Amino acid sequence: MKNQKSDFNREAETNFTIEGRNPVLEAFRAGKTIDKLYILDGCQDGPIASIRREAKKSDTIVRYVTKERLDQLSETGKHQGVIANAAAYHYAEITDILAMAAKKGEPPFVIILDNIEDPHNLGAIIRTANLVGAHGVIVPKNRAALLNATVARTSAGAINYTPVAKVTNLTQTIADLKKQGLWFVCADMEGTAMYELDLTGPVGLVIGSEGSGISRLVKENCDYAAKIPMRGDIDSLNASVATGVLAYEILRQRISI
């Protein structure tokens, strides 16, 4: 594969907040650098106690503040009494994703997102990616949600374990990964029912948004299109739900070999 460094944006905000008990705790456990921790003054319950222990281990500065102060600092409005001021999340490289698969001795499994601009969807997909054993998520430089506090919270800490790569051109990235032995399946209501497809081996799952879907060139470069069977009165799933359904079918086939 060609040198990917020019294709990735490793720039990220330096003042990054992680909000919510589980995301903050997972950030500590994953070894992420936490510069300062804000905790609701007087809160002594179990999860907060666990966070305080992790903060002590890493010599993190802890400030006990009022709810009003936490509300001011919060970007999501759902801080649950704790906000961490952390080092920014950096985007990975494709080589990092492939290296993770090689380290685990598994065929690569990547999730590619086209036109996913909602940070809640992105966070939920990163969480699903981690749970199904995907080795990474790939997003385009444009038309994609940024890694921010909402993504971190919605991912429930999975952002600390599942690399996210940002590329300039999804079509070129798919072509490059095909040279590495991967094949690609996209979600498409006009495709073949997912249960009828062989989804094993080195695979990339391509997901588009509910509105604009997958761009034409990206779809044309996929090897197969997978349809999720539906029997309801509406004709589409939320992007993160569709990702979950298809990703778990891939997992089911991988573990049944």
Side-chain angles (χ1 to χ4, degrees):
M1 184 181 294
K2 70 177 183 178
N3 187 341
Q4 293 281 347
K5 287 189 177 180
S6 62
D7 289 345
F8 292 90
N9 175 10
R10 288 183 171 270
E11 298 293 329
E13 297 178 11
T14 56
N15 185 18
F16 188 92
T17 62
I18 305 173
E19 304 180 26
R21 298 176 181 192
N22 193 57
V24 170
L25 187 57
E26 288 297 339
F28 273 117
R29 289 175 173 170
K32 185 162 183 63
T33 301
I34 305 295
D35 298 319
K36 192 176 294 184
L37 187 65
Y38 297 91
I39 296 176
L40 179 63
D41 193 20
C43 188
Q44 301 290 336
D45 62 21
I48 294 296
S50 296
I51 290 171
R52 289 171 60 191
R53 284 194 296 270
E54 293 295 332
K56 186 174 182 180
K57 291 178 188 177
S58 56
D59 294 323
T60 299
I61 297 171
V62 180
R63 295 282 185 266
Y64 296 94
V65 297
T66 63
K67 181 179 181 301
E68 288 73 23
R69 178 56 176 155
L70 286 173
D71 290 342
Q72 290 174 350
L73 294 169
S74 177
E75 296 179 17
T76 68
K78 300 177 180 178
H79 51 72
Q80 297 178 312
V82 58
I83 295 176
N85 192 348
Y89 282 100
H90 292 291
Y91 291 97
E93 296 195 32
I94 297 252
T95 50
D96 299 326
I97 295 173
L98 298 179
M100 177 180 287
K103 183 178 180 180
K104 292 183 176 181
E106 299 170 348
F109 175 14
V110 301
I111 297 176
I112 293 183
L113 306 180
D114 190 14
N115 295 309
I116 303 298
E117 300 184 63
D118 181 353
H120 294 92
N121 268 337
L122 177 58
I125 289 169
I126 293 170
R127 182 176 185 173
T128 295
N130 182 267
L131 290 170
V132 299
H135 302 105
V137 174
I138 299 172
V139 299
K141 183 177 180 181
N142 300 313
R143 310 182 317 279
L146 299 175
L147 298 183
N148 59 22
T150 299
V151 173
R153 187 181 189 284
T154 310
S155 79
I159 194 174
N160 298 292
Y161 303 100
T162 300
V164 178
K166 179 184 284 190
V167 300
T168 302
N169 188 308
L170 285 182
T171 303
Q172 183 61 52
T173 298
I174 289 172
D176 290 341
L177 285 171
K178 282 185 176 182
K179 295 176 184 177
Q180 299 293 312
L182 277 78
W183 64 274
F184 290 84
V185 57
C186 65
D188 188 341
M189 289 307 299
E190 301 302 319
T192 303
M194 64 181 188
Y195 304 119
E196 298 175 17
L197 292 172
D198 180 354
L199 301 175
T200 58
V203 62
L205 171 61
V206 183
I207 301 289
S209 70
E210 294 174 71
S212 54
I214 299 169
S215 58
R216 180 182 59 82
L217 283 176
V218 171
K219 184 183 294 187
E220 288 177 354
N221 279 272
C222 290
D223 300 287
Y224 299 101
K227 176 175 67 176
I228 299 172
M230 299 182 195
R231 292 189 176 181
D233 298 313
I234 57 175
D235 60 0
S236 66
L237 288 169
N238 171 277
S240 63
V241 175
T243 303
V245 174
L246 286 163
Y248 267 97
E249 176 59 18
I250 292 173
L251 174 61
R252 184 190 69 80
Q253 293 192 22
R254 287 164 77 94
I255 63 180
S256 63
I257 296 176

